[in-house]
């Protein structure tokens, strides 16, 4: 049984934590104290994902300054910021919104419209449909991969629908970012086109997805 519990603990990393909670409770709750420890490990994360309540508002200078210094580990370093004044100005252009928790801690941000597009995509016509609102997002580096993505994205989409009157939604994602694509597909986004950007760091493919 202990071997099964160890396997269960390992296999839950990166999967739906709510389903994991239910599974562990049903299978192991009456076995022994070790099973209860597994449940205790998972339930806090589970609750964070289910009950995430965000305050989404137009970004202010302090938040922009903090986000401008966020650095992501490989292979996600392309999303890192350089802390420059131009980066801060972009974050304050009116299309960026901060997301804070109930304790006013900055968790991430959303961007909409042209700020959520990859500029080179325009020459391929991927943004020609003006009835769609483009959505982008960024999660604080230390929270990436912790199971917040699905709920964080859902909050942003709800905001776009309620505050921006979005009827259709579109996002652009780097093809290598399988982790993000998996989350987008779970929400219901479908790939409709792709394009490649060639720069000094090489060639990169992007997917355009709509909901």
């Amino acid at each position: 049984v202990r071997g099964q519990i160890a396997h269960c603990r390992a296999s839950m990393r990166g999967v739906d934590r709510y389903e994991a909670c239910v599974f562990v409770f049903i299978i192991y709750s009456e076995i022994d104290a070790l099973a209860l420890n597994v449940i205790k490990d998972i339930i806090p994360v589970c609750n964070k994902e289910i009950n995430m309540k965000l305050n989404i508002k137009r970004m202010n200078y302090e938040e922009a300054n903090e986000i401008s210094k966020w650095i992501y580990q490989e292979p996600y370093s392309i999303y890192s910021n350089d802390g420059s004044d131009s980066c801060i100005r972009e974050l304050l252009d009116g299309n960026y919104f901060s997301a804070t928790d109930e304790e006013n801690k900055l968790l991430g941000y959303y961007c909409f419209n042209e700020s959520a597009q990859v500029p080179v995509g325009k020459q391929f016509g991927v943004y020609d449909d003006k009835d769609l609102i483009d959505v982008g997002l960024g999660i604080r580096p230390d929270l990436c991969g912790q199971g917040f993505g699905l709920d964080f994205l859902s909050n942003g989409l709800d905001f776009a629908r309620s505050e921006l009157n979005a009827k259709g939604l579109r996002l652009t994602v780097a093809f290598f970012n399988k982790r993000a694509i998996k989350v987008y597909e779970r929400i219901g986004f479908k790939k409709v086109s792709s394009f490649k950007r060639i720069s000094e760091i090489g060639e990169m493919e992007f997917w355009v997805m709509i909901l």
Side-chain angles (χ1 to χ4, degrees):
V1 170
R2 291 174 182 269
Q4 289 177 314
I5 293 174
H7 173 73
C8 178
R9 186 197 299 268
S11 64
M12 288 174 202
R13 294 172 185 147
V15 304
D16 190 301
R17 302 305 178 92
Y18 177 74
E19 294 177 0
C21 287
V22 174
F23 174 77
V24 172
F25 181 76
I26 292 174
I27 301 300
Y28 294 119
S29 61
E30 297 182 1
I31 295 176
D32 62 13
L34 181 57
L36 295 178
N37 288 334
V38 175
I39 296 171
K40 290 177 182 177
D41 284 345
I42 300 168
I43 286 179
V45 179
C46 190
N47 287 337
K48 285 181 182 179
E49 185 169 359
I50 296 170
N51 299 319
M52 181 185 286
K53 296 180 180 179
L54 300 181
N55 177 33
I56 303 174
K57 60 180 176 31
R58 202 172 298 277
M59 192 172 299
N60 61 40
Y61 178 83
E62 290 73 22
E63 293 164 338
N65 185 50
E66 179 179 340
I67 291 171
S68 74
K69 300 171 185 175
W70 283 358
I71 302 296
Y72 295 88
Q73 300 299 313
E74 295 292 351
Y76 306 103
S77 61
I78 66 164
Y79 302 113
S80 296
N81 294 316
D82 60 8
S84 65
D85 290 341
S86 61
C87 179
I88 294 174
R89 284 196 298 271
E90 179 181 349
L91 291 168
L92 294 174
D93 70 2
N95 285 322
Y96 286 82
F97 294 77
S98 63
T100 56
D101 64 13
E102 294 173 315
E103 298 177 351
N104 204 36
K105 293 180 180 178
L106 184 61
L107 302 182
Y109 66 88
Y110 304 97
C111 59
F112 300 98
N113 302 314
E114 193 168 348
S115 295
Q117 299 176 355
V118 176
V120 71
K122 295 178 181 179
Q123 71 186 58
F124 298 100
V126 299
Y127 302 124
D128 287 350
D129 189 343
K130 304 305 180 183
D131 292 329
L132 300 173
I133 286 186
D134 290 279
V135 181
L137 58 89
I139 297 177
R140 204 174 71 208
D142 63 301
L143 297 178
C144 291
Q146 301 301 312
F148 293 101
L150 189 66
D151 206 27
F152 190 85
L153 175 60
S154 295
N155 275 269
L157 300 184
D158 288 344
F159 178 85
R161 294 184 181 107
S162 63
E163 301 299 322
L164 306 179
N165 197 32
K167 299 297 189 293
L169 297 158
R170 177 174 56 207
L171 58 80
T172 307
V173 57
F175 173 67
F176 79 84
N177 195 348
K178 306 295 187 184
R179 183 169 66 186
I181 291 174
K182 182 179 179 181
V183 171
Y184 301 154
E185 290 177 335
R186 287 184 63 187
I187 288 285
F189 278 92
K190 304 292 184 183
K191 175 192 174 188
V192 292
S193 60
S194 64
F195 61 91
K196 293 182 179 180
R197 181 183 69 186
I198 300 175
S199 66
E200 64 277 1
I201 64 174
E203 183 179 274
M204 184 171 296
E205 181 178 354
F206 290 88
W207 280 15
V208 178
M209 308 179 76
I210 64 171
L211 177 65

